[in-house]
Structures are given as C-alpha cells and as structure tokens.
Amino acid sequence: GVRAYVAVSGGVAVEPVLGSRSTDLLSGLGPAPLTDGAVLPLGAPTGMHARVDVAPQAGPPSELVLRVSLGPRDDWFTAEAVRLFLSRVFRVSPASNRIGVRTTGPVLERARGEELPSEGMVLGAVQVPPAGTPVIFLADHPTTGGYPVIGVVRSEDLPAAAQARPGTAVRFVAMRGRGGR
C-alpha cells in the first residue's frame, strides 16, 4: 500500500502546535509535510525497547471494488451520471492523500446547477466537486463540505481504498439490501 505508521521511542522532536506534532493537511497547522530526503529529529528514547511485530498484508489489488450506498445527493446527478458512476472504471489520482482518494475518469454530470449549502461529511462519503470526478473521503476528511455526495462507501472497503496506489482501477458497486437501493 501507500500509507503506513512509524513509531519511535521518544517520538519525533519537533515543536508541537496546539498540542500535536503532526501535520493537519486541511488547515496547514503543524510541521511541514515530509518530503524526500527529510531528516526527522528524534526525542530521547524512553522505557524498554518494544518488540517489533509486522502484520503481513496482501498487496493492493489491481482493481479496487468499492461497495456504495447511493445518496444522499444522487438526485443532484443525471441518470446517465449515476449509471456511469456504477458501471465505469475510475483510476486513483496521484493527488490522493489521507484526506481523500481523488479519481480520474468519466465526468459525472449534475442535473442541478445551483450550489449546495455546506453539510456534514462522513467517512467514506463520495463527493463530486465541479470537475465531475469522485473523491472518496478518508480518515482526515473535512467535517463539512459543499459539493453533492453521490454515495457512501461501505466502511469495510475503506482500508483498501486508503492503500490504493495511483493508477489503481476503481469500480463503484451499488449495495443491495440494508442501506442500499
């Protein structure tokens, strides 16, 4: 996959901002995001060395199938756009990050042209900005958003989405039964 956590005894010794040493990508608070060749200052080790365990994981799939419940704003899109959303292949964009998986692919045309007032966003929401390609919200997603949400990805499918590499094929499949249409 493309994302991982690293822990070191003593922590990363950068100046905290609002009590945190991590970077908030949405607000820009905290230390600068890591870049190639960055060297991190480490704090003094504390306690005993921990035993390091690795949990083997299967590699990311070549095609990611994400189960979605349509709505709450699928009616903001043309019937053709909803059909394309559920039948065509999108690809993970290199612009993806821990906020969301941005996609490239078919443009989803809106049936309504007005702007949507800002409303709450949930983990897994598939928001469609004006460019017309879906963005799947991940762990660091905003709490509110002003673009229509065509569907919500099932929570069990989000870990694979978070690890998808740029270029990975993505298909959205409507859930049937509970929560689906």
Side-chain angles (χ1 to χ4, degrees), residues 76-78 108-116 128-130 146-148:
W76 277 58
F77 298 90
T78 65
L108 304 180
E109 184 181 355
R110 286 192 194 181
R112 297 174 62 167
E114 70 265 27
E115 289 304 312
L116 181 67
V128 183
Y147 302 125

Side-chain angles (χ1 to χ4, degrees), residues 137-155:
F137 282 144
L138 298 176
D140 282 358
H141 71 281
T143 56
T144 62
Y147 302 125
V149 172
I150 195 168
V152 179
V153 173
R154 188 174 181 164
S155 61

